[in-house]
Amino acid sequence: MNRYEMIYIIDTDLEETARKELIEKVSALIESNGGEIEKVDETWGKRRLAYAIDYKTEGWYVLVTFKAPAELPRELERNLQINESVLRYLVVKLVEKRSAVKPRAVKPAPVEAPAEEPAPAEEAAPAEEAAPAEEAAPAAEEE
């Protein structure tokens, strides 16, 4: 069975009892066709529509999450399309995200060798090489 998420918008002109009956009817349709309802969320409630649908600017939003066979969404859409109280609907299959990336191997921390201090003669040698180059440059500029 696949997981689905469906949202539908009910006309706000419908009375509260009729709206509750419509929500129960849709839930019963899911269960009668072999589906299992996980959650019916009406907390979105009455909201303003992005654009007018049949000259209506507000709708009652209902979100349903359910598990069902692959044939059920088509049957749900057919029933919601027939019902004049439903302004819009959308049924979406939920896909579980799977990672195709292999986990990175944990590398052991490198063991640091004790730091050895260089001999003073080694430090002085590079400084001596740089000194003659600096002296030669001003002499070339004078000429």
Side-chain angles (χ1 to χ4, degrees), residues 47-91:
R47 293 191 167 222
R48 185 169 178 82
L49 301 174
Y51 55 90
I53 301 171
D54 295 331
Y55 302 104
K56 295 177 172 84
T57 58
E58 290 183 330
W60 190 271
Y61 285 71
V62 180
L63 176 68
V64 182
T65 308
F66 59 97
K67 290 181 181 179
E71 303 83 30
L72 183 60
R74 181 175 285 150
E75 179 67 19
L76 270 174
E77 290 175 352
R78 186 183 72 78
N79 282 290
L80 292 173
Q81 190 173 11
I82 292 171
N83 196 327
E84 292 180 4
S85 299
V86 177
L87 301 176
R88 289 286 187 270
Y89 59 88
L90 181 65
V91 181

Side-chain angles (χ1 to χ4, degrees), residues 1-6 25-38 64-81 89-93:
M1 292 195 0
N2 298 320
R3 289 188 69 218
Y4 294 96
E5 190 173 75
M6 174 178 63
K25 181 181 172 184
V26 171
S27 299
L29 179 65
I30 293 170
E31 290 175 347
S32 67
N33 286 308
E36 300 173 16
I37 296 179
E38 294 177 356
V64 182
T65 308
F66 59 97
K67 290 181 181 179
E71 303 83 30
L72 183 60
R74 181 175 285 150
E75 179 67 19
L76 270 174
E77 290 175 352
R78 186 183 72 78
N79 282 290
L80 292 173
Q81 190 173 11
Y89 59 88
L90 181 65
V91 181
V92 178
K93 180 179 176 185

Side-chain angles (χ1 to χ4, degrees), residues 1-19:
M1 292 195 0
N2 298 320
R3 289 188 69 218
Y4 294 96
E5 190 173 75
M6 174 178 63
I7 189 162
Y8 56 99
I9 305 171
I10 302 172
D11 188 1
T12 54
D13 293 341
L14 215 58
E15 294 180 15
E16 185 176 349
T17 56
R19 186 181 72 240

